[in-house]
Amino acid sequence: ILSVMSLGAFRAYSIAKREAELLRNVTLAFEMIRRDLVGSVYKDPATGNAIAGVNFLGIDQTDAGGKADDKLRFFALLSPDSSARADLTSVNYKREESGGVKRLARASLETGPSGLPPLLLDGVETFEPLHFYVTAFDVTYLSSPAGSFQASYDASSAGRLPRAARIRLSVQIPGGKEKTFTYTVNLAME
């Protein structure tokens, strides 16, 4: 009886430990996204002019199973205090599958003083995993204080950054269940 009880307690402890690690990783992923979004820019820091082309793009997508599979692409400053174009970096977030495991991944690419980094980074090999077993990645955007969150966002057509971005991550937890986490980031407006 004692060995059966001990085995049950050990299994429960193991599951609780894995769930705690999962929660910690979700928190770290949200913090990484928050730091990037807070540093996102619409205007060229060197000239003060709007950056030509799409420079903040939230894409609303779903996968074959109907799960949210959004992408987020934008320019950000490596340092929030910077005013140099040389410090611009392109940041992409997407859900991807590697070795049968779906994960949230991030890629970034810096530029030199001569130009802008490419916004579309799908071809680069620098995508780093932020979180594994991500079953859905959904981002919605608040364009004005009186508005409601919308599924996609294009700063080039809107003429400004969104006021806020709400991120939802659905993650498979031990036992095969799914848990959804939501985090809202307020973006600085010029």
Side-chain angles (χ1 to χ4, degrees), residues 36-37 40 55-56 72-76 89-93 119:
D36 284 337
L37 283 173
S40 60
N55 57 84
F56 185 105
L72 182 56
R73 299 174 176 143
F74 55 93
F75 292 136
T89 184
S90 185
V91 181
N92 284 198
Y93 284 94
L119 190 71

Side-chain angles (χ1 to χ4, degrees), residues 115-132:
L116 295 170
L119 190 71
L120 176 59
L121 299 181
D122 284 349
V124 303
E125 295 181 4
T126 56
F127 269 94
E128 55 188 291
L130 284 187
H131 205 294
F132 292 94

Side-chain angles (χ1 to χ4, degrees), residues 38-175:
V38 167
S40 60
V41 294
Y42 171 66
K43 293 182 177 177
D44 188 325
T47 65
N49 298 325
I51 299 171
V54 175
N55 57 84
F56 185 105
L57 184 61
I59 304 167
D60 182 41
Q61 292 181 312
T62 56
D63 65 13
K67 294 278 190 177
D69 203 18
D70 295 359
K71 293 184 179 181
L72 182 56
R73 299 174 176 143
F74 55 93
F75 292 136
L77 283 169
L78 296 175
S79 165
D81 301 322
S82 176
S83 61
R85 172 182 269 209
D87 287 337
L88 274 177
T89 184
S90 185
V91 181
N92 284 198
Y93 284 94
K94 68 176 182 178
R95 190 172 66 122
E96 63 180 7
E97 191 167 330
S98 178
V101 177
K102 289 182 177 159
R103 65 188 191 183
L104 177 65
R106 175 189 183 271
S108 63
L109 190 64
E110 299 170 17
T111 187
S114 59
L116 295 170
L119 190 71
L120 176 59
L121 299 181
D122 284 349
V124 303
E125 295 181 4
T126 56
F127 269 94
E128 55 188 291
L130 284 187
H131 205 294
F132 292 94
Y133 307 106
V134 173
T135 56
F137 175 54
D138 178 47
V139 191
T140 52
Y141 309 90
L142 183 67
S143 57
S144 67
S148 57
F149 278 89
Q150 58 196 58
S152 60
Y153 199 87
D154 180 348
S156 290
S157 59
R160 64 182 182 277
L161 291 170
R163 288 194 172 263
R166 184 172 57 204
I167 304 128
R168 283 195 188 103
L169 276 184
S170 295
V171 181
Q172 190 174 9
I173 61 174

